[in-house]
Amino acid sequence: MSSEEGGLAGAAAGAAVEAVQQVRAAAGSVASDVAAGRWRRAGLVGLSLGVVAAGAAAGVAVERLTIGRDMRRRAGAEVEAAATFGSLRGRPRTVAAPDGTELYVELDGTGWQEGPQTPPAAVAAEASAPRKGWLGRFRPGGGTSSAGPLGGVLSGVGSMLGMVPTPPLTVVFCHGYCLNQDCWHFQRAAFREGLRLVFWDQRSHGRSERSRSHLAGEPASIDQLGGDLKAVIDAVAPTGPLVLVGHSMGGMTVMALADQHPELFRERVAAVALLGTTAGGWSGVTLGLPAYGAKMLHRVAPGVLKALGRQRDLVERSRRLGSDLTSVVYRKFSFGREDVDPAVERFAQRLLEATPIDVVAEFFPAFDLHEKTTALAAFRDIPTLVMGGAKDLLTPPRHSEAIAAELPDAELIIVPDAGHLLMLELPDLVNTQLALLLEQAARGSGAPLPQPVRDLALGTVPAVAVDESLT
């Protein structure tokens, strides 16, 4: 190593030490400001620095903080130019929510045009044969569900009797907090053939309109999101069997819909998937912080975020200036594995950064109020997949386990080394499990099962350890 290179290395090492010292100092300053009620000084970057300091103590790579800013920007631009994540599009629709908020919806999949499907007779023959139940548990009576009126109307039998055959499955994807429908990129690509896919942006997120009721002074709530989901279903998929897939806040939205309209689940919902979500008790989540720090965070964060939301333009500029640091925070709370594709990591960061701070503030208080354990009863006769990441700091695995405890027949999968954004971190695993769920939904409702979905369900699950000890 030349003396010049040695000097650069020494400077980098010094910069690393200085960065950590600055992070720790900023964290202490922010904590003091919050305790004293000085909200304006507790900016988003400062709050992020405090979390980074905690993460650094837990082993977050310090070198991420010392990479030259220009180099990071060039690398990010190259990653975005090479990747196509979020580029898939469907047919756009706008649906009015109960309060008039315009929700952006896209319809995708060839099922809307009666694309290639498994012959109905093959579905009928398979459904009549004795077999294992939902992913391994024996269910008496073969594969036909009696949970609702769809169960006995198989496509093949209905066609032979002159009845209208069951239409293809309509799969509705509900995204999480601070994301938008593009987070389902891998699932959109995998399930386009023969299915009817519905993607939508929750109110105030993505391309949907800012919540009109919130702008009028009404607090955001998960119940309101359940009403939005019902409006979307009524507008674009008023008939036929449904499969509802929800991640994080999207899973809560599905639970709110079940609480408000249990008859929909008895009559039309053929399966449900809940990924990285909770039925309640979120105020106890530590977010990877010590217990006292987590308690303080839940207490002060709503007020801090609300104050920051009133300084939106200033905060958004601060977020952009602090991207080198906030990227560490985003990664820590999004993923659990070290080998995540950098393009996927950058894509997730771009989704999160696209959510304005006032929208972050709008929904955060709703999570502590969310309690839908009793609503899970609507899922008990429906094939249900519950997945969580063992390293998820936002909805830890005990929340998935609590949901599965209320649903004895649900399939519970806790994935080691996975974080919160399962569908982006391990898309092959998630797609395989969704394909198995869709197979069960088709068998129970009599809907045709597209051959690509059948092939995916029969394929080998990717080589990743899965903890099924609690199933």
Side-chain angles (χ1 to χ4, degrees):
M1 178 183 296
S2 68
S3 59
E4 182 178 357
E5 290 173 336
L8 290 174
V17 173
E18 183 180 356
V20 173
Q21 291 174 342
Q22 290 176 354
V23 166
R24 290 174 176 168
S29 175
V30 169
S32 299
D33 289 340
V34 169
R38 295 190 292 268
W39 306 115
R40 292 190 178 186
R41 289 183 56 187
L44 180 64
V45 175
L47 190 61
S48 297
L49 288 171
V51 178
V52 172
V60 175
V62 176
E63 62 269 19
R64 293 289 301 279
L65 304 178
T66 64
I67 299 176
R69 177 164 300 184
D70 290 341
M71 183 181 297
R72 285 184 59 84
R73 286 176 176 170
R74 288 197 301 270
E78 290 175 1
V79 164
E80 289 187 355
T84 58
F85 303 134
S87 61
L88 300 179
R89 299 264 66 92
R91 297 190 305 281
R93 287 280 305 272
T94 299
V95 173
D99 68 344
T101 300
E102 293 187 352
L103 305 172
Y104 179 78
V105 181
E106 288 187 3
L107 307 183
D108 209 336
T110 63
W112 301 102
Q113 302 93 21
E114 297 183 356
Q117 299 160 0
T118 300
V123 177
E126 180 178 318
S128 63
R131 61 176 297 165
K132 291 282 187 177
W134 169 225
L135 295 186
R137 279 180 287 277
F138 182 75
R139 183 165 294 172
T144 303
S145 169
S146 59
L150 290 172
V153 185
L154 297 171
S155 293
V157 175
S159 296
M160 289 185 289
L161 297 178
M163 299 168 60
V164 176
T166 303
L169 295 170
T170 299
V171 189
V172 184
F173 291 86
C174 308
H175 70 78
Y177 179 50
C178 296
L179 298 170
N180 62 50
Q181 63 176 266
D182 291 347
C183 71
W184 299 108
H185 174 87
F186 293 105
Q187 290 66 48
R188 187 193 288 251
F191 295 109
R192 283 179 139 177
E193 193 69 30
L195 296 174
R196 299 176 176 180
L197 307 182
V198 177
F199 300 91
W200 65 295
D201 292 338
Q202 303 237 38
R203 62 173 57 227
S204 297
H205 289 71
R207 300 168 184 84
S208 286
E209 186 184 14
R210 186 67 195 274
S211 173
R212 295 187 184 185
S213 59
H214 181 76
L215 293 176
E218 180 182 332
S221 71
I222 303 300
D223 286 335
Q224 187 177 48
L225 301 182
D228 292 350
L229 177 55
K230 182 61 162 57
V232 170
I233 291 172
D234 288 346
V236 305
T239 61
L242 299 168
V243 176
L244 305 179
V245 182
H247 168 256
S248 191
M249 186 176 75
M252 303 178 204
T253 300
V254 173
M255 297 176 208
L257 176 66
D259 190 37
Q260 297 164 16
H261 298 281
E263 75 286 351
L264 180 68
F265 287 73
R266 290 192 300 269
E267 297 168 2
R268 293 189 56 203
V269 176
V272 172
L274 302 172
L275 312 180
T277 191
T278 178
W282 192 78
S283 60
V285 174
T286 67
L287 301 173
L289 300 173
Y292 177 76
K295 184 177 180 180
M296 286 296 297
L297 178 64
H298 281 280
R299 181 181 301 173
V300 305
V304 171
L305 291 171
K306 185 176 181 179
L308 295 174
R310 290 195 291 266
Q311 305 290 333
R312 172 177 169 171
D313 293 341
L314 176 62
V315 171
E316 292 305 321
R317 287 196 297 271
S318 299
R319 288 175 79 182
R320 289 190 292 272
L321 290 173
S323 61
D324 289 346
L325 297 173
T326 55
S327 64
V328 180
V329 178
Y330 289 143
R331 192 190 195 289
K332 182 174 179 62
F333 287 95
S334 298
F335 305 110
R337 301 164 68 87
E338 295 297 330
D339 59 349
V340 178
D341 183 342
V344 171
E345 184 179 336
R346 176 57 186 160
F347 174 53
Q349 181 177 342
R350 182 154 51 87
L351 290 174
L352 294 166
E353 288 179 336
T355 306
I357 185 61
D358 50 341
V359 175
V360 177
E362 177 181 339
F363 286 89
F364 189 87
F367 302 134
D368 279 350
L369 302 176
H370 170 68
E371 177 50 63
K372 287 291 183 286
T373 301
T374 57
L376 296 175
F379 304 159
R380 285 181 183 156
D381 292 324
I382 299 171
T384 302
L385 169 66
V386 182
M387 291 188 73
K391 292 187 176 180
D392 187 342
L393 297 177
L394 296 176
T395 50
R398 69 175 183 274
H399 288 264
S400 295
E401 294 162 7
I403 293 172
E406 297 291 325
L407 304 171
D409 289 332
E411 185 73 8
L412 171 64
I413 297 178
I414 304 298
V415 187
D417 297 327
H420 189 60
L421 300 185
L422 285 165
M423 65 284 191
L424 290 174
E425 186 171 11
L426 293 170
D428 290 339
L429 176 62
V430 171
N431 289 350
T432 298
Q433 296 302 322
L434 287 179
L436 290 167
L437 180 71
L438 292 170
E439 181 184 46
Q440 187 77 358
R443 190 180 309 120
S445 66
L449 185 66
Q451 190 61 46
V453 177
R454 182 184 298 274
D455 293 341
L456 185 55
L458 294 176
T460 303
V461 175
V464 59
V466 174
D467 184 357
E468 296 180 325
S469 60
L470 297 175
T471 61

